[in-house]
Amino acid sequence: TDIAELWAVFQKFSDKQAIGLVENQSDWYLGNLWKNHKPWPSLGRGFNTGVILLLLERLRRIGWEQMWRLTAERELMSMLSTSLADQDIFNAVIKQNPALVHQLPCFWNVQLSDHTRSEQCYTEVSDLKVIHWNSPKKLRVKNKHVEFFRNLYLTFLEYDGNLLRR
């Protein structure tokens, strides 16, 4: 995938949008995965921060640093901790400020996790731009292309990172 394609999405942001995210592809933020599951606030399914576009100048102009800190501090009074780190905080801020987010097409962050709905996002693997294994159960995720994903994952594990050095 050419990263310039993702970079071009910035041109689609409205004047108020400063954050580009893909909708979360599981029911995590709906709070119905198990009894007593209480996720952080979100708009619907929430958004996944595995792939994120940020218009930094715009975020600085609107006081992002104070915005996320105040939101986090307020939510931590009742939630006590995050479950999904930065993703919980982004979702809580977006719930209060929905105009900030530009929803990216789901092929920019196909999430392979427990309870994933990723198969509804694409038809063929050639449609995918970014695959995001966001589960410790990477090799046991259920998906119509599980063998392809498993082989891809195992191939990356075998790469020698030193080959990328100059």
Side-chain angles (χ1 to χ4, degrees):
T1 296
D2 185 346
I3 199 65
E5 292 178 48
L6 182 59
W7 193 259
V9 176
F10 279 120
Q11 302 306 312
K12 297 179 181 179
F13 279 37
S14 74
D15 291 343
K16 297 202 184 297
Q17 294 171 329
I19 303 168
L21 294 165
V22 171
E23 182 181 48
N24 202 43
Q25 294 164 13
S26 79
D27 291 346
W28 178 268
Y29 286 103
L30 298 179
N32 60 9
L33 292 181
W34 57 82
K35 189 178 178 181
N36 298 324
H37 171 60
K38 188 175 184 278
W40 275 54
S42 70
L43 287 177
R45 294 189 174 288
F47 292 91
N48 184 284
T49 58
V51 172
I52 184 167
L53 294 178
L54 299 172
L55 283 172
L56 297 175
E57 263 185 51
R58 196 170 288 171
L59 288 169
R60 286 185 197 104
R61 222 175 19 248
I62 63 170
W64 172 252
E65 186 174 351
Q66 183 176 4
M67 186 183 296
W68 77 258
R69 282 179 190 246
L70 290 173
T71 301
E73 288 170 2
R74 185 186 61 250
E75 293 303 326
L76 286 168
M77 299 280 280
S78 61
M79 300 297 289
L80 304 180
S81 67
T82 63
S83 295
L84 300 177
D86 65 300
Q87 184 169 304
D88 287 336
I89 296 169
F90 270 96
N91 275 291
V93 171
I94 290 166
K95 172 127 178 141
Q96 290 189 314
N97 304 277
L100 284 178
V101 73
H102 175 84
Q103 187 168 334
L104 301 175
C106 63
F107 53 71
W108 282 111
N109 182 358
V110 175
Q111 302 147 37
L112 300 176
S113 62
D114 302 350
H115 309 24
T116 187
R117 302 170 73 243
S118 62
E119 289 185 38
Q120 297 173 13
C121 174
Y122 70 97
T123 307
E124 299 297 325
V125 291
S126 59
D127 299 335
L128 305 179
K129 302 291 186 182
V130 177
I131 301 167
H132 178 187
W133 284 283
N134 55 339
S135 168
K137 300 176 183 175
K138 290 173 180 52
L139 299 178
R140 296 188 307 273
V141 169
K142 292 181 173 68
N143 181 286
K144 64 186 171 189
H145 294 109
V146 70
E147 287 303 316
F148 173 80
F149 294 136
R150 183 177 290 122
N151 289 336
L152 189 61
Y153 173 72
L154 293 172
T155 299
F156 273 91
L157 284 181
E158 296 298 318
Y159 279 157
D160 179 355
N162 289 316
L163 294 174
L164 300 174
R165 296 187 180 172
R166 291 181 190 235

